[in-house]
Amino acid sequence: MRRAVSLESFMKWMFLLVALSTAVLILGTRLNQSYMRKLEEAERTAERAERMLSLYRLEYSAAAAEEELGPYWRPCGEGEEAEMRLTSGGRVYGFVIDYEEIYADMVEEERYLILVGILGLIVAVELAVFLSYVLTRPLRRLTWMCREIAAGKSVRVPQSVFSPSEFSELIDSFNDMSEQLARWRDVQRQLSRMDRLAALGEMMSGLSHEIRNPLASMRIQADLLRDEIERIGAGDFRGEDIRDAGDQINALCEEMDRLNNIVVQLLSFVRPRPAVVNPTKLDDILPWAGSMIGPQAQKQGVRLVLKCEEPDVTVMADGEALRQVVMNLALNAIQAAGRGGMLSISVGRSQSAARSGVRGVITVSDTGGGVPPSIEHRIFDPFFTTKKEGTGLGLSIVQRITESLGGELSLENGAGGATFRVYLTLAERSVEK
């Protein structure tokens, strides 16, 4: 991963580049002017020497001619081509410009300028570091503030006297935003608390309603049983009274079982068992469904159809949790299908509704009238039910278990019945097949 360059480093190098370019430009211009001036001086001395030789017919020795030309000329070395020739006393002397002498003289002459340039460059470096620090410090503080706000903390960045006005306005805006976010978090906490209280109230309302019905029935049956026992104790009873007392005791037992079922479902909803995810074969669900759901379907007059769309489909799931999902969906389907209806349970592989690839699927469908469109969006809400003896927790538990397994629950609703599909992630060996 490529590491981004910090703004402070970027500005520091930018200022250094500007300072170095400025120093090089000024010093280079000055040295170039000095160099051109010395070349012109060398050319003037050469013209003057030629003019004196031609006017006064002077005779110079090589040393005298070199002295006349000045320090920027020297005699030609071996193999060098003369840039200027002087003829004196029948002899020809060749000379070339001594660039080393020009450079040395130029450096000596401009040494103060070079020193000032070096000092100026050092000052520019320090100024660049200072300016980059001053300009980027507010940004660093704002970056820190963003991290703190992202962590859920409320912070306020103090103003600095060295910050430019634009940064000061930006810091003020950030501080205002931080205060508004803090207020919004308080509002969210209050709304969350109100939602929890509303959910708790709805849960308690539904729970009290579900518990009161069996208790009312138990109270009626207990009163009737007491009357029967009083008649039996008084000796004024018939054989039918004994049978009625037995029926009332059975009714009491059924209502107590119903209460126990409500408590069990409530505990499953508010305190679910941690899922133990292992490779699980969907085929194993069908024999279990035939033995556990079959008798209840037969009792209600519903025909049970078990189908394996594709064998040996293995998913990553909790086998016990899957059986609970199938049981809850099947019991709802039996009640929805009614006497003479049909319940179908099938397993296989299919494309999920979320288009997340091929996944294992458990399909539970019935031939009832389907879910009314007006309540379709509420069927997964806790304690929402249209049945007199329902708790409204079955589908909520199914949805919670499916989500805990990383699966997906879908509903296809129509006049011909409702179809629930539970999509689960395939195990590796099932994917390879």
Side-chain angles (χ1 to χ4, degrees), residues 177-410:
M177 183 189 70
S178 177
E179 294 176 358
Q180 292 178 8
L181 286 175
R183 289 194 294 267
W184 175 244
R185 279 195 293 267
D186 292 338
V187 172
Q188 279 187 319
R189 282 193 290 267
Q190 295 176 4
L191 291 176
S192 178
R193 182 172 178 273
M194 293 174 63
D195 289 341
R196 289 196 300 269
L197 291 175
L200 180 61
E202 184 179 355
M203 183 184 72
M204 296 305 297
S205 175
L207 183 60
S208 62
H209 174 74
E210 294 301 328
I211 291 178
R212 283 174 60 190
N213 289 338
L215 287 177
S217 177
M218 291 171 64
R219 178 57 188 266
I220 294 171
Q221 296 299 328
D223 290 340
L224 293 175
L225 181 59
R226 182 183 59 193
D227 294 340
E228 296 293 340
I229 292 174
E230 288 177 354
R231 282 198 298 271
I232 292 173
D236 183 17
F237 67 93
R238 297 168 296 176
E240 291 83 358
D241 294 334
I242 300 296
R243 288 193 297 272
D244 291 342
D247 293 339
Q248 290 155 5
I249 291 175
N250 291 333
L252 283 172
C253 292
E254 290 178 358
E255 293 301 325
M256 284 188 288
D257 290 339
R258 182 180 169 191
L259 275 176
N260 181 67
N261 183 52
I262 292 174
V263 173
V264 169
Q265 286 196 332
L266 180 63
L267 289 176
S268 298
F269 178 74
V270 300
R271 193 171 57 193
R273 181 181 64 87
V276 181
V277 178
N278 291 308
T280 304
K281 291 184 64 173
L282 295 182
D283 299 10
D284 297 339
I285 293 176
L286 297 181
W288 171 86
S291 61
M292 297 298 296
I293 301 174
Q296 300 193 45
Q298 185 178 5
K299 182 179 178 181
Q300 299 293 330
V302 176
R303 184 164 64 96
L304 175 63
V305 178
L306 303 177
K307 187 185 302 183
C308 180
E309 301 287 351
E310 184 177 350
D312 296 328
V313 176
T314 304
V315 297
M316 298 302 297
D318 185 329
E320 184 178 345
L322 281 187
R323 288 191 288 272
Q324 186 177 2
V325 166
V326 174
M327 175 63 78
N328 286 342
L329 291 176
L331 292 178
N332 282 347
I334 290 173
Q335 294 177 357
R339 187 167 297 276
M342 184 179 69
L343 163 64
S344 174
I345 302 176
S346 64
V347 297
R349 286 199 282 192
S350 179
Q351 182 81 24
S352 68
R355 301 185 183 277
S356 54
V358 177
R359 310 178 81 177
V361 61
I362 303 173
T363 305
V364 179
S365 59
D366 61 71
T367 57
V371 181
S374 59
I375 65 171
E376 186 175 344
H377 65 286
R378 295 196 60 193
I379 61 173
F380 297 108
D381 292 346
F383 299 104
F384 177 78
T385 181
T386 58
K387 305 182 183 75
K388 292 182 179 180
E389 297 182 354
T391 61
L393 290 174
L395 290 179
S396 297
I397 293 173
V398 168
Q399 186 182 47
R400 173 172 290 185
I401 292 175
T402 304
E403 291 176 351
S404 69
L405 296 176
E408 175 191 345
L409 178 63
S410 70

Side-chain angles (χ1 to χ4, degrees), residues 48-75:
R48 184 182 60 189
E50 289 178 347
R51 189 168 55 250
M52 291 185 65
L53 286 175
S54 62
L55 290 177
Y56 302 106
R57 299 183 182 277
L58 299 176
E59 293 185 5
Y60 288 133
S61 62
E66 182 179 357
E67 184 179 356
E68 183 67 26
L69 288 174
Y72 302 140
W73 292 93
R74 64 177 177 79

Side-chain angles (χ1 to χ4, degrees), residues 110-122:
E110 304 294 342
R111 63 182 183 276
Y112 295 109
L113 178 63
I114 294 174
L115 179 60
V116 171
I118 294 174
L119 293 176
L121 186 59
I122 295 174

